[in-house]
C-alpha cells in the first residue's frame, strides 16, 4: 500500500520558488506569494511542504495554501517531520513568553500567528476563557485543530474554549463554512481585567467580539497623562474611556455602534463609574464640536483601519488628518492627545508627517511625549513588516 501521510519524508510534496520568492525568504520574510512559485504540482490544500529554490536547494518547511495569494508560510528552516509536535512546542513557547511580558491583566493575545511561528493561528485569553481563530487551510485540518485544543486545555485549563469564525477568511481560503461556537466547555461569557479596569466579555454575542488587546499598555500610558475633561473618539466598549475615568473629572465616549456603547455602559457600571456615551459619526461630531468651540484636556482618537490597502492610502491620510486637526483644535493649552492608527499601510513616518501638517495648519507647536506601538503580547517579527501595525502617539 502506498504511504499516504503528508508528514512522511519520502512522499512530502516540494514547492519550488522563483529567485524573487527565495529572495524574500532570505530577507527574513516567511510568506511567498503564488506569483513567486515555479512549481507546486499536485500539492494538496493545507499540506506540509518542503520548499526549494530554483536550483532545488532546500530552504525549509512550509504550510501550503491552494487558495490564498500567500501560497506558502514558512514554519522552519529545517525539515519538520512532526508538525503536531512542532505546534505543541510553539504553543508552549508562546505561553512562556506571555508569562514573561504580561502583567496586571488576565486578558492578552496568547498566540499571534506568524509572530509566534504559528502562521494562521490566533488565540486570545479572556480570564478563564480562550478564544481561537484559524485562518489557513493547514491550521484548519482536523489533526491540527485537535493538537491546538488539547495543548491549550492541558496547559492552561480554561473553563471553555470558543472558536471565532471569520466567514470572509474561510471563503478566501476555500474552507467549508463553519459557525462560531464553543469548542470545549459550556461557559461563553466572563469578566476580565486589564490594568485594574474590568470588562465584560461575551464570546458568542454579535459579530465583533473581544477587546483590542493590542492597546492594553497604551490604555495605561494614556491614563498616566490624562486629566480634566476627556473625549474618547471611536471608544468601542470603553477601553480608553474607562481608564481615563480613573483620572479625569468627566469622560465622554463616542462611537457609531450602539451595541458597542451598550457594552461600554455595562463596563462603566462594572467599574462603578459614570461616563457619557454618544452614538454618532465621529467625523460629524468632531466637526460640530470644533465649530462650537468645545475644549478638552484629554482627547483619544482610535479609529478603525482607514487604509485597507496601499491603494487607498491617500484617502486614508486625509481621514486621519481631518480627525487630528479637529482634535488638536479642541485641545486646551497643555492638553494631551492620544492618537492611533492600526493601518499597517500607514507607516510611522506617514503618521508623523500627518501630525506635523495638522499641527502646522493650526500653528500649534506639538511635543511627542511617547511614540508607542502594540503591546508585547503582539510581538513584531523582524522581516515580516505586516506584524507591526499599531501606532499610538501621545502628544501635547
Ligand atoms: N478604542 C477602542 C477601539 C476602537 S475600534 C478600544 O480601545 O477598545 C474602532 C471603533 O470605531 C469601532 O467601535 C467602530 O464601531 C467605530 N467606528 C467606525 N467608524 C466610525 C465612525 N465613522 N464614527 C464613529 N465610530 C466609528
Amino acid at each position: 500500500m502506498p504511504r499516504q501521510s503528508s508528514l512522511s519524508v519520502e512522499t512530502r510534496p516540494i514547492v519550488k520558488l522563483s529567485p524573487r520568492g527565495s529572495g524574500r525568504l532570505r530577507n527574513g520574510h516567511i510568506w511567498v506569494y503564488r506569483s513567486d512559485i515555479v512549481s507546486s504540482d499536485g500539492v494538496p490544500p493545507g499540506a506540509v511542504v518542503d520548499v526549494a529554490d530554483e536550483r532545488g536547494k532546500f530552504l525549509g518547511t512550509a504550510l501550503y495554501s491552494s487558495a490564498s495569494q500567500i501560497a506558502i508560510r514558512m514554519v522552519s528552516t529545517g525539515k519538520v517531520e512532526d508538525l503536531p509536535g512542532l505546534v505543541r512546542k510553539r504553543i508552549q513557547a508562546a505561553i512562556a513568553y506571555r508569562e514573561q511580558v504580561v502583567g496586571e491583566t488576565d486578558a492578552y493575545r496568547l498566540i499571534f500567528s506568524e509572530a509566534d511561528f504559528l502562521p494562521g493561528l490566533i488565540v486570545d485569553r479572556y480570564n478563564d476563557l480562550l478564544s481561537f481563530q484559524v485562518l489557513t487551510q493547514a491550521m484548519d485540518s482536523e489533526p491540527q485543530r485537535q493538537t491546538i485544543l488539547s495543548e491549550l486545555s492541558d496547559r492552561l485549563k480554561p473553563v471553555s474554549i470558543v472558536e471565532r469564525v471569520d466567514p470572509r477568511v474561510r471563503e478566501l481560503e476555500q474552507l467549508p463554512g463553519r459557525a462560531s461556537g464553543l469548542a470545549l466547555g459550556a461557559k461563553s461569557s466572563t469578566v476580565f481585567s486589564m490594568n485594574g479596569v474590568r470588562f465584560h466579555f461575551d464570546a458568542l454575542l454579535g459579530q465583533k467580539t473581544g477587546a483590542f488587546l493590542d492597546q492594553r499598555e497604551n490604555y495605561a500610558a494614556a491614563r498616566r497623562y490624562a486629566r480634566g475633561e476627556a473625549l474618547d473618539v471611536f471608544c468601542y466598549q470603553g477601553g480608553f474611556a474607562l481608564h481615563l475615568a480613573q483620572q479625569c473629572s468627566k469622560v465622554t465616549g463616542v462611537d457609531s455602534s450602539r451595541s458597542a456603547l451598550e457594552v461600554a455602559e455595562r463596563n462603566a457600571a462594572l467599574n462603578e463609574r459614570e461616563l457619557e456615551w454618544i452614538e454618532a459619526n465621529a467625523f460629524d461630531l468632531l466637526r460640530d464640536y470644533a465649530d462650537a468651540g468645545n475644549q478638552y484636556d484629554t482627547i483619544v482618537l482610535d479609529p478603525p483601519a482607514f487604509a485597507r490597502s496601499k491603494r487607498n492610502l491617500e484617502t486614508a491620510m486625509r481621514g486621519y488628518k481631518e480627525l487630528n486637526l479637529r482634535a488638536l483644535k479642541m485641545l486646551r493649552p497643555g492638553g494631551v492627545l492620544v492618537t492611533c492608527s492600526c493601518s499597517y499601510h500607514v507607516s510611522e513616518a506617514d503618521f508623523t508627517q500627518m501630525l506635523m501638517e495638522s499641527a502646522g495648519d493650526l500653528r500649534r507647536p506639538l511635543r511627542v511625549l511617547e511614540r508607542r506601538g502594540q503591546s508585547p503580547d503582539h510581538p513584531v517579527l523582524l522581516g515580516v513588516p505586516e506584524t507591526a501595525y499599531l501606532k499610538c502617539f501621545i502628544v501635547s
Side-chain angles (χ1 to χ4, degrees):
M1 219 168 97
R3 296 183 63 175
Q4 298 233 318
S5 163
S6 61
L7 298 179
S8 75
V9 191
E10 303 81 23
T11 60
R12 191 147 74 185
I14 297 179
V15 171
K16 217 176 211 187
L17 310 183
S18 71
R20 199 171 64 171
S22 36
R24 271 175 76 77
L25 298 186
R26 290 200 182 94
N27 285 332
H29 214 296
I30 62 170
W31 295 347
V32 178
Y33 294 103
R34 191 159 311 283
S35 53
D36 294 329
I37 283 184
V38 176
S39 73
S40 57
D41 299 341
V43 180
V48 178
V49 296
D50 281 355
V51 178
D53 72 8
E54 64 284 4
R55 291 193 300 269
K57 183 171 172 263
F58 177 76
L59 297 176
T61 307
L63 307 179
Y64 178 76
S65 167
S66 61
S68 170
Q69 278 315 305
I70 305 169
I72 66 162
R73 295 165 198 251
M74 300 299 292
V75 286
S76 172
T77 49
K79 204 143 187 128
V80 176
E81 309 292 357
D82 168 22
L83 184 63
L86 184 80
V87 168
R88 282 182 193 282
K89 278 209 196 93
R90 290 194 172 163
I91 291 176
Q92 290 161 22
I95 293 171
Y97 170 67
R98 275 37 177 208
E99 281 168 1
Q100 259 185 319
V101 299
V102 178
E104 308 280 313
T105 182
D106 56 15
Y108 48 87
R109 179 144 295 180
L110 193 70
I111 295 172
F112 187 32
S113 201
E114 277 74 5
D116 281 299
F117 312 106
L118 288 165
L121 177 64
I122 296 203
V123 182
D124 291 333
R125 178 181 164 196
Y126 293 96
N127 188 3
D128 49 359
L129 304 189
L130 295 179
S131 138
F132 78 100
Q133 197 174 15
V134 293
L135 308 166
T136 54
Q137 292 172 348
M139 284 296 167
D140 195 58
S141 71
E142 219 29 63
Q144 291 324 316
R145 284 178 164 272
Q146 269 161 28
T147 305
I148 294 161
L149 286 176
S150 73
E151 193 62 27
L152 289 174
S153 63
D154 288 355
R155 297 278 156 187
L156 299 163
K157 312 262 183 291
V159 170
S160 294
I161 302 183
V162 251
E163 177 171 8
R164 219 178 79 212
V165 172
D166 181 342
R168 208 181 46 98
V169 169
R170 291 193 71 84
E171 205 176 303
L172 286 174
E173 275 291 280
Q174 291 170 10
L175 291 168
R178 213 181 158 96
S180 292
L182 284 155
L184 186 114
K187 183 180 173 187
S188 64
S189 66
T190 194
V191 167
F192 64 90
S193 72
M194 295 194 255
N195 315 306
V197 180
R198 302 172 78 210
F199 296 87
H200 288 285
F201 172 70
D202 193 328
L204 301 179
L205 205 74
Q207 348 83 333
K208 167 78 192 91
T209 61
F212 290 87
L213 302 170
D214 50 1
Q215 290 282 28
R216 190 183 56 253
E217 296 198 352
N218 298 331
Y219 296 154
R223 180 172 63 189
R224 286 198 289 275
Y225 296 96
R227 59 190 171 74
E229 288 176 77
L231 184 66
D232 175 9
V233 189
F234 305 95
C235 66
Y236 185 57
Q237 299 176 352
F240 278 103
L242 290 160
H243 282 79
L244 302 183
Q246 295 183 328
Q247 295 298 325
C248 297
S249 51
K250 183 176 183 216
V251 180
T252 304
V254 179
D255 203 282
S256 58
S257 157
R258 173 176 295 248
S259 55
L261 293 178
E262 280 166 5
V263 181
E265 176 53 28
R266 288 177 60 219
N267 287 338
L270 190 63
N271 291 280
E272 295 173 9
R273 299 272 172 193
E274 277 191 32
L275 289 86
E276 177 186 44
W277 308 107
I278 301 182
E279 182 186 342
N281 179 319
F283 286 90
D284 297 344
L285 179 125
L286 285 179
R287 188 192 53 229
D288 295 348
Y289 277 23
D291 288 353
N294 288 13
Q295 295 273 287
Y296 294 91
D297 304 291
T298 307
I299 301 180
V300 175
L301 294 176
D302 184 20
F306 289 154
R308 297 229 173 256
S309 74
K310 252 204 172 86
R311 260 174 297 129
N312 58 11
L313 184 60
E314 215 174 293
T315 323
M317 292 318 298
R318 274 203 297 278
Y320 287 114
K321 177 152 181 212
E322 183 176 336
L323 294 174
N324 282 274
L325 190 65
R326 297 223 157 97
L328 285 173
K329 219 172 151 183
M330 291 196 286
L331 201 62
R332 291 205 175 99
V336 169
L337 171 66
V338 179
T339 179
C340 313
S341 164
C342 57
S343 298
Y344 153 68
H345 296 286
V346 174
S347 68
E348 196 177 285
D350 294 336
F351 199 64
T352 307
Q353 178 69 23
M354 175 281 297
L355 266 178
M356 226 154 70
E357 287 171 14
S358 308
D361 286 4
L362 296 171
R363 305 181 60 80
R364 177 184 179 128
L366 212 53
R367 290 189 302 173
V368 180
L369 306 184
E370 293 193 29
R371 203 184 282 263
R372 307 178 58 90
Q374 60 225 40
S375 52
D377 50 330
H378 295 63
V380 171
L381 184 55
L382 202 65
V384 184
E386 292 83 355
T387 56
Y389 59 96
L390 185 63
K391 288 141 295 277
C392 172
F393 281 38
I394 304 182
V395 297
S396 177

